[in-house]
Amino acid sequence: AQSVTQLGSHVSVSEGALVLLRCNYSSSVPPYLFWYVQYPNQGLQLLLKYTTGATLVKGINGFEAEFKKSETSFHLTKPSAHMSDAAEYFCAVSDRDDKIIFGKGTRLHILP
Amino acid sequence: GAVVSQHPSWVICKSGTSVKIECRSLDFQATTMFWYRQFPKQSLMLMATSNEGSKATYEQGVEKDKFLINHASLTLSTLTVTSAHPEDSSFYICSASGARTGYNEQFFGPGTRLTVL
């Protein structure tokens, strides 16, 4: 069975600092991996996804994530945080059927 | 990109009444639609998966008679919460996928906030 673990339900970084949101997964087959962002009272927006090929994936808004099979990780990073990045971030995994399993989410706070 | 809408964006109803939420794919044909429920400050919980023209597949623990799902066309799915009670208050989010979007990527609607008094 698939599962996703996001380390840290809340992460605070200063504006301009590096953002690192951690995600580890378990899957019995090579997974598809996703990061979504959710702003208050809104649906989810896809930041980036990994399916096959290059393990470093670039997404929208300057975010990127690296698929590390040996570590079963898919951490999300952004070199320089912006106030508008404050939101809830969800890591998710799919084992190639239709279903996506979400992690519990990490609330990102940006300090001025 | 692929756009999914939900209507209404929020609804307040009295206990015992039924509420219908619509999910529409605006610019693609959605062969599969998903319904999620999200409690405050928690993750999304998949309630059911529906394929156009067939019965929905419900996740374990989700009452199919309480949460009626219809996916009658390639652009519309509805979720009806029957005999709603305060514990049904939640944020309901739908998503959709199809040939154009890639079956392993879901596009999400903006969500519907349901409050049952």
Side-chain angles (χ1 to χ4, degrees):
Chain A
Q2 310 159 82
S3 67
V4 178
T5 302
Q6 290 184 241
L7 296 176
S9 57
H10 292 266
V11 170
S12 296
V13 302
S14 298
E15 189 174 18
L18 171 71
V19 175
L20 171 61
L21 303 183
R22 299 178 186 273
C23 173
N24 289 89
Y25 70 90
S26 67
S27 177
S28 57
V29 298
Y32 288 175
L33 295 161
F34 309 84
W35 274 99
Y36 289 89
V37 62
Q38 185 180 33
Y39 296 98
N41 295 309
Q42 295 188 27
L44 274 65
Q45 181 182 12
L46 180 68
L47 280 177
L48 48 80
K49 65 178 178 179
Y50 168 79
T51 53
T52 59
T55 56
L56 181 62
V57 181
K58 294 186 185 298
I60 62 172
N61 301 339
F63 285 93
E64 63 182 36
E66 186 171 11
F67 170 57
K68 291 187 176 180
K69 184 178 179 180
S70 61
E71 299 177 8
T72 59
S73 69
F74 192 57
H75 302 330
L76 180 72
T77 60
K78 181 174 180 177
S80 177
H82 192 273
M83 295 300 290
S84 61
D85 295 327
E88 188 85 21
Y89 291 80
F90 292 96
C91 181
V93 63
S94 170
D95 68 359
R96 297 167 192 258
D97 66 6
D98 285 345
K99 295 182 183 178
I100 293 178
I101 305 299
F102 289 89
K104 292 184 181 295
T106 297
R107 170 78 59 181
L108 177 63
H109 304 272
I110 309 298
L111 307 174
Chain B
V3 181
V4 176
S5 70
Q6 281 185 242
H7 178 80
S9 56
W10 59 270
V11 57
I12 301 173
C13 69
K14 293 182 179 180
S15 186
T17 60
S18 294
V19 174
K20 180 183 285 188
I21 302 169
E22 292 186 348
C23 176
R24 292 182 184 273
S25 57
L26 299 185
D27 54 359
F28 69 101
Q29 293 185 324
T31 50
T32 307
M33 286 185 166
F34 305 83
W35 287 95
Y36 295 86
R37 184 173 180 176
Q38 186 179 31
F39 291 102
K41 302 186 188 302
Q42 294 190 30
S43 189
L44 280 73
M45 181 192 78
L46 180 64
M47 299 174 66
T49 303
S50 72
N51 292 296
E52 185 265 337
S54 59
K55 290 184 178 180
T57 302
Y58 290 80
E59 295 299 301
Q60 193 171 10
V62 178
E63 300 175 60
K64 60 179 67 176
D65 293 332
K66 181 166 189 60
F67 298 99
L68 300 179
I69 292 172
N70 182 279
H71 190 170
S73 78
L74 285 171
T75 59
L76 174 65
S77 176
T78 60
L79 167 68
T80 302
V81 183
T82 62
S83 186
H85 290 281
E87 58 266 29
D88 299 323
S89 298
S90 192
F91 194 52
Y92 292 88
I93 304 176
C94 74
S95 69
S97 66
R100 189 194 131 195
T101 63
Y103 294 104
N104 284 100
E105 182 169 349
Q106 297 175 24
F107 287 84
F108 288 81
T112 297
R113 173 77 59 191
L114 170 62
T115 302
V116 184
L117 303 176

Coordinates of all heavy atoms in Angstrom, one line a residue, chain B residues 13-64:
Chain B
C13 N -27.1 24.8 5.2 CA -28.4 24.1 5.1 C -28.8 23.7 6.5 O -28.0 23.6 7.5 CB -28.4 22.9 4.2 SG -27.4 21.5 4.8
K14 N -30.0 23.4 6.7 CA -30.5 22.9 7.9 C -30.4 21.4 8.0 O -30.4 20.6 7.0 CB -32.0 23.2 8.1 CG -32.3 24.7 8.2 CD -33.8 24.9 8.4 CE -34.1 26.4 8.5 NZ -35.6 26.6 8.7
S15 N -30.2 20.9 9.2 CA -30.1 19.5 9.5 C -31.3 18.7 8.9 O -32.4 19.2 9.1 CB -29.9 19.2 11.0 OG -29.7 17.9 11.3
G16 N -31.0 17.6 8.2 CA -32.1 16.8 7.7 C -32.4 17.1 6.2 O -33.1 16.3 5.6
T17 N -31.9 18.2 5.7 CA -32.1 18.5 4.3 C -31.0 17.9 3.4 O -30.0 17.4 4.0 CB -32.1 20.0 4.0 OG1 -30.9 20.6 4.4 CG2 -33.3 20.6 4.9
S18 N -31.2 17.8 2.1 CA -30.2 17.3 1.2 C -29.6 18.4 0.4 O -30.2 19.4 0.1 CB -30.9 16.3 0.2 OG -31.3 15.2 0.9
V19 N -28.3 18.3 0.1 CA -27.5 19.3 -0.6 C -26.8 18.7 -1.8 O -26.2 17.6 -1.7 CB -26.5 19.9 0.3 CG1 -25.6 20.9 -0.5 CG2 -27.2 20.6 1.5
K20 N -26.9 19.3 -3.0 CA -26.3 18.8 -4.2 C -25.1 19.7 -4.5 O -25.3 21.0 -4.6 CB -27.2 18.7 -5.3 CG -26.6 18.2 -6.6 CD -27.5 18.2 -7.8 CE -28.5 17.1 -7.7 NZ -29.3 17.0 -9.0
I21 N -24.0 19.1 -4.8 CA -22.8 19.9 -5.2 C -22.4 19.4 -6.6 O -22.3 18.2 -6.9 CB -21.6 19.6 -4.3 CG1 -22.0 20.0 -2.8 CG2 -20.4 20.4 -4.7 CD1 -21.0 19.6 -1.8
E22 N -22.2 20.4 -7.5 CA -21.8 20.0 -8.9 C -20.3 20.2 -9.1 O -19.7 21.2 -8.6 CB -22.6 20.9 -9.9 CG -24.1 20.7 -9.9 CD -24.7 21.5 -11.0 OE1 -24.1 22.4 -11.5 OE2 -25.9 21.3 -11.3
C23 N -19.8 19.3 -10.0 CA -18.4 19.4 -10.4 C -18.4 19.3 -11.9 O -18.9 18.4 -12.5 CB -17.6 18.3 -9.7 SG -15.9 18.2 -10.2
R24 N -17.8 20.3 -12.5 CA -17.7 20.4 -14.0 C -16.3 20.5 -14.5 O -15.6 21.3 -14.0 CB -18.6 21.5 -14.5 CG -20.1 21.4 -14.3 CD -20.8 22.6 -14.9 NE -22.2 22.5 -14.6 CZ -23.1 21.9 -15.3 NH1 -22.8 21.2 -16.4 NH2 -24.4 21.8 -14.9
S25 N -16.0 19.8 -15.5 CA -14.8 20.0 -16.3 C -15.1 20.9 -17.4 O -16.0 20.6 -18.2 CB -14.2 18.6 -16.8 OG -15.1 17.9 -17.6
L26 N -14.5 22.1 -17.5 CA -14.9 23.1 -18.4 C -14.3 23.0 -19.8 O -14.9 23.4 -20.8 CB -14.6 24.5 -17.8 CG -15.3 24.8 -16.5 CD1 -15.0 26.2 -16.1 CD2 -16.8 24.6 -16.6
D27 N -13.1 22.4 -19.9 CA -12.5 22.4 -21.2 C -11.9 21.1 -21.6 O -11.0 21.0 -22.4 CB -11.4 23.5 -21.3 CG -10.4 23.4 -20.1 OD1 -10.6 22.5 -19.3 OD2 -9.5 24.2 -20.1
F28 N -12.3 20.0 -20.9 CA -11.9 18.7 -21.3 C -12.9 17.7 -20.9 O -13.8 17.9 -20.0 CB -10.5 18.3 -20.7 CG -10.5 18.2 -19.2 CD1 -10.5 16.9 -18.6 CD2 -10.6 19.3 -18.3 CE1 -10.5 16.8 -17.2 CE2 -10.6 19.1 -17.0 CZ -10.6 17.9 -16.4
Q29 N -12.8 16.5 -21.4 CA -13.8 15.4 -21.1 C -13.2 14.6 -19.9 O -12.1 14.0 -20.1 CB -14.0 14.5 -22.3 CG -14.8 15.3 -23.4 CD -15.2 14.4 -24.6 OE1 -14.4 13.5 -24.9 NE2 -16.4 14.6 -25.1
A30 N -13.9 14.5 -18.9 CA -13.4 13.9 -17.7 C -14.0 12.5 -17.6 O -15.2 12.3 -17.2 CB -13.8 14.7 -16.4
T31 N -13.2 11.5 -18.0 CA -13.8 10.1 -17.9 C -13.8 9.7 -16.4 O -14.6 8.8 -16.1 CB -12.9 9.2 -18.7 OG1 -11.5 9.4 -18.3 CG2 -13.0 9.4 -20.1
T32 N -13.0 10.3 -15.6 CA -13.0 9.9 -14.2 C -13.0 11.2 -13.3 O -12.3 12.1 -13.6 CB -11.7 9.1 -13.8 OG1 -11.6 8.0 -14.6 CG2 -11.8 8.6 -12.3
M33 N -13.9 11.1 -12.3 CA -14.0 12.2 -11.4 C -13.9 11.7 -10.0 O -14.3 10.5 -9.7 CB -15.3 13.0 -11.5 CG -15.2 13.9 -12.7 SD -16.7 15.0 -12.9 CE -16.2 16.2 -14.1
F34 N -13.3 12.5 -9.1 CA -13.0 12.0 -7.7 C -13.6 13.0 -6.8 O -13.7 14.2 -7.0 CB -11.5 12.0 -7.4 CG -10.7 11.1 -8.4 CD1 -10.3 11.6 -9.6 CD2 -10.4 9.8 -8.1 CE1 -9.6 10.9 -10.5 CE2 -9.7 9.0 -8.9 CZ -9.3 9.6 -10.2
W35 N -14.1 12.5 -5.6 CA -14.7 13.4 -4.6 C -13.9 13.2 -3.3 O -13.7 12.1 -2.9 CB -16.1 13.1 -4.4 CG -17.0 13.6 -5.5 CD1 -17.5 12.9 -6.5 CD2 -17.5 15.0 -5.6 NE1 -18.2 13.7 -7.3 CE2 -18.3 15.0 -6.8 CE3 -17.4 16.1 -4.8 CZ2 -18.9 16.2 -7.2 CZ3 -18.0 17.3 -5.3 CH2 -18.8 17.3 -6.5
Y36 N -13.4 14.3 -2.8 CA -12.6 14.3 -1.5 C -13.4 15.1 -0.5 O -14.1 16.0 -0.8 CB -11.3 15.0 -1.8 CG -10.4 14.2 -2.7 CD1 -10.4 14.5 -4.1 CD2 -9.4 13.4 -2.2 CE1 -9.6 13.8 -5.0 CE2 -8.5 12.7 -3.1 CZ -8.6 12.9 -4.5 OH -7.8 12.3 -5.3
R37 N -13.0 14.8 0.7 CA -13.5 15.6 1.9 C -12.3 16.1 2.7 O -11.3 15.3 2.8 CB -14.4 14.7 2.7 CG -15.0 15.4 3.9 CD -16.0 14.4 4.6 NE -16.7 15.1 5.7 CZ -17.6 14.5 6.4 NH1 -18.0 13.3 6.2 NH2 -18.1 15.2 7.4
Q38 N -12.3 17.3 3.1 CA -11.2 17.8 3.9 C -11.7 18.5 5.1 O -12.5 19.5 5.1 CB -10.4 18.8 3.0 CG -9.2 19.3 3.7 CD -8.4 20.3 2.8 OE1 -9.0 21.1 2.0 NE2 -7.1 20.3 3.0
F39 N -11.3 18.0 6.3 CA -11.6 18.6 7.5 C -10.6 19.7 7.8 O -9.5 19.7 7.3 CB -11.6 17.6 8.7 CG -12.8 16.6 8.5 CD1 -12.6 15.3 8.1 CD2 -14.0 17.0 8.9 CE1 -13.6 14.4 7.9 CE2 -15.1 16.1 8.8 CZ -14.9 14.8 8.3
P40 N -11.0 20.7 8.7 CA -10.1 21.8 8.9 C -8.7 21.4 9.3 O -8.5 20.5 10.2 CB -10.8 22.5 10.1 CG -12.3 22.2 9.9 CD -12.3 20.8 9.4
K41 N -7.7 22.0 8.7 CA -6.3 21.8 8.9 C -5.9 20.3 8.8 O -5.0 19.8 9.4 CB -6.0 22.2 10.3 CG -6.3 23.7 10.6 CD -5.8 24.2 11.9 CE -6.3 25.6 12.3 NZ -5.9 26.6 11.2
Q42 N -6.6 19.6 7.9 CA -6.3 18.2 7.6 C -6.1 18.0 6.1 O -6.4 18.9 5.3 CB -7.3 17.3 8.2 CG -7.4 17.3 9.7 CD -8.3 16.2 10.3 OE1 -8.4 15.1 9.7 NE2 -8.9 16.4 11.4
S43 N -5.7 16.8 5.8 CA -5.5 16.4 4.4 C -6.8 16.0 3.7 O -7.8 16.0 4.3 CB -4.5 15.3 4.3 OG -4.1 15.1 3.0
L44 N -6.7 15.8 2.5 CA -7.8 15.4 1.7 C -8.0 13.9 1.9 O -7.1 13.1 1.8 CB -7.6 15.6 0.2 CG -7.8 17.1 -0.3 CD1 -6.7 18.0 0.2 CD2 -7.9 17.1 -1.8
M45 N -9.3 13.5 2.1 CA -9.7 12.1 2.2 C -10.5 11.7 1.0 O -11.6 12.3 0.8 CB -10.4 11.9 3.5 CG -10.8 10.4 3.7 SD -12.0 10.2 5.0 CE -13.5 10.7 4.2
L46 N -10.1 10.8 0.2 CA -10.8 10.3 -0.9 C -12.1 9.6 -0.5 O -12.1 8.7 0.3 CB -10.0 9.4 -1.8 CG -10.7 8.8 -3.0 CD1 -11.0 9.9 -4.0 CD2 -9.8 7.8 -3.7
M47 N -13.2 10.1 -1.0 CA -14.5 9.5 -0.7 C -14.9 8.5 -1.7 O -15.4 7.4 -1.4 CB -15.6 10.6 -0.6 CG -15.4 11.7 0.4 SD -16.6 13.0 0.3 CE -18.1 12.1 0.8
A48 N -14.8 8.9 -3.0 CA -15.3 8.0 -4.0 C -14.7 8.4 -5.4 O -14.2 9.5 -5.6 CB -16.8 8.0 -4.1
T49 N -14.6 7.4 -6.3 CA -14.2 7.6 -7.6 C -15.3 7.2 -8.6 O -16.0 6.2 -8.4 CB -13.0 6.6 -7.9 OG1 -12.0 6.8 -7.0 CG2 -12.5 6.8 -9.3
S50 N -15.6 8.1 -9.5 CA -16.7 7.8 -10.4 C -16.2 7.9 -11.9 O -15.5 8.8 -12.3 CB -17.8 8.8 -10.2 OG -17.5 10.1 -10.7
N51 N -16.6 6.9 -12.6 CA -16.3 6.9 -14.1 C -17.6 7.2 -14.8 O -18.7 6.7 -14.4 CB -15.8 5.5 -14.5 CG -14.4 5.3 -13.9 OD1 -13.5 6.0 -14.3 ND2 -14.3 4.4 -13.0
E52 N -17.5 7.9 -15.9 CA -18.7 8.4 -16.6 C -19.6 7.2 -17.0 O -19.0 6.2 -17.6 CB -18.3 9.2 -17.8 CG -19.5 9.8 -18.6 CD -19.9 8.9 -19.8 OE1 -19.0 8.1 -20.3 OE2 -21.0 9.0 -20.2
G53 N -20.8 7.2 -16.7 CA -21.8 6.2 -17.1 C -21.8 5.0 -16.2 O -22.6 4.0 -16.5
S54 N -21.0 4.9 -15.2 CA -21.1 3.8 -14.3 C -21.2 4.2 -12.8 O -21.0 5.4 -12.5 CB -19.8 2.9 -14.5 OG -18.7 3.6 -14.3
K55 N -21.4 3.2 -12.0 CA -21.6 3.5 -10.6 C -20.3 3.9 -9.9 O -19.2 3.4 -10.3 CB -22.2 2.3 -9.8 CG -23.6 2.0 -10.2 CD -24.1 0.8 -9.3 CE -25.6 0.5 -9.6 NZ -26.1 -0.6 -8.8
A56 N -20.4 4.8 -8.9 CA -19.2 5.2 -8.3 C -18.6 4.1 -7.4 O -19.4 3.3 -6.9 CB -19.5 6.5 -7.4
T57 N -17.3 4.2 -7.2 CA -16.7 3.2 -6.3 C -16.3 4.0 -5.0 O -15.6 5.0 -5.0 CB -15.4 2.7 -6.9 OG1 -15.7 2.0 -8.1 CG2 -14.7 1.7 -5.9
Y58 N -16.9 3.6 -3.9 CA -16.7 4.3 -2.6 C -15.5 3.7 -1.8 O -15.3 2.5 -1.8 CB -18.0 4.2 -1.8 CG -19.1 5.0 -2.4 CD1 -19.9 4.6 -3.4 CD2 -19.4 6.3 -1.9 CE1 -20.9 5.3 -4.0 CE2 -20.5 7.1 -2.4 CZ -21.2 6.6 -3.5 OH -22.2 7.3 -4.0
E59 N -14.9 4.6 -1.1 CA -13.8 4.1 -0.2 C -14.4 3.5 1.0 O -15.6 3.8 1.4 CB -12.9 5.3 0.1 CG -12.1 5.9 -1.1 CD -11.2 4.8 -1.7 OE1 -10.3 4.3 -1.0 OE2 -11.4 4.6 -2.9
Q60 N -13.6 2.7 1.7 CA -14.1 2.1 2.9 C -14.5 3.1 3.9 O -13.8 4.1 4.2 CB -13.0 1.2 3.5 CG -13.4 0.2 4.5 CD -12.3 -0.8 4.9 OE1 -11.2 -0.6 4.5 NE2 -12.7 -1.8 5.6
G61 N -15.6 2.9 4.5 CA -16.1 3.8 5.6 C -17.0 4.9 5.1 O -17.5 5.6 5.9
V62 N -17.1 5.1 3.8 CA -18.0 6.1 3.2 C -19.3 5.6 2.9 O -19.4 4.6 2.2 CB -17.3 6.7 2.0 CG1 -18.2 7.8 1.4 CG2 -16.0 7.3 2.3
E63 N -20.4 6.2 3.5 CA -21.7 5.6 3.3 C -22.3 6.0 1.9 O -22.5 7.2 1.6 CB -22.7 6.2 4.3 CG -22.2 5.9 5.8 CD -23.2 6.6 6.8 OE1 -24.4 6.3 6.7 OE2 -22.7 7.4 7.5
K64 N -22.4 5.0 1.0 CA -22.9 5.3 -0.3 C -24.3 5.8 -0.4 O -24.7 6.6 -1.3 CB -22.7 4.1 -1.2 CG -23.5 2.9 -0.8 CD -23.3 1.7 -1.7 CE -21.8 1.2 -1.7 NZ -21.6 0.0 -2.5

